Amino acid sequence: MIPEINYWAVAIATVLSMGLGALWYSPALFLDRWATLARIDMTKRGAPVALAMLVSLAVTFLTAWVLAGSVAIAWHFYDGGYLLSALVTAVTLWAGFTAARVITHDVFEGRPSQLTVLTMGFELTTVVIMALVIGLWPPAGTV
């Protein structure tokens, strides 16, 4: 069985996530704190921003697409509300995969725990926003 996916919801979730990233890592919110904790010199030129944004867009779309498919499977399995399935699935996948892996890498790399919390906060906010879009706009014919 191939899970039903609303690709419009995936696209909107991707755009909203990219917008959240632009805000989260902006001077208005956490840019300075993130740069300090990650030991990034903002005066130096790094990798081309366009390449980083394209990679981010591709993996953000992949995340939204996998979440949408996982939500469809969870909804069929648990037979509950689509929005609730989306939120529970998103938080569960975030905790079991994203948060767990970020913590593991950051501990081995000796990153500050505040950076880990900042990263995990962004990732949790991202998947919750994606889940809201996917959960409020289920694929046609499913709900």
Side-chain angles (χ1 to χ4, degrees):
M1 173 178 105
I2 298 173
E4 304 91 344
I5 293 176
N6 180 342
Y7 284 95
W8 286 108
V10 169
I12 290 170
T14 300
V15 169
L16 289 175
S17 177
M18 295 295 290
L20 174 67
L23 179 62
W24 191 276
Y25 293 105
S26 74
L29 288 182
F30 303 114
L31 176 65
D32 295 334
R33 186 79 182 128
W34 169 76
T36 299
L37 292 169
R39 298 180 187 101
I40 294 174
D41 183 356
M42 296 301 289
T43 62
K44 283 183 156 180
R45 293 200 66 193
V49 174
L51 176 61
M53 294 302 289
L54 285 173
V55 169
S56 182
L57 179 65
V59 298
T60 300
F61 179 85
L62 178 63
T63 300
W65 179 71
V66 168
L67 179 60
S70 299
V71 168
I73 292 166
W75 177 73
H76 282 291
F77 184 79
Y78 292 113
D79 199 27
Y82 207 85
L83 178 59
L84 182 60
S85 291
L87 290 168
V88 169
T89 301
V91 172
T92 302
L93 292 176
W94 168 83
F97 291 101
T98 304
R101 302 314 311 155
V102 167
I103 290 168
T104 299
H105 284 275
D106 285 6
V107 166
F108 275 100
E109 293 170 5
R111 290 178 162 221
S113 59
Q114 292 174 341
L115 180 58
T116 303
V117 170
L118 184 64
T119 301
M120 290 187 331
F122 171 72
E123 295 298 334
L124 177 60
T125 305
T126 292
V127 297
V128 167
I129 287 171
M130 287 180 174
L132 286 170
V133 173
I134 292 164
L136 290 170
W137 197 4
T142 57
V143 178

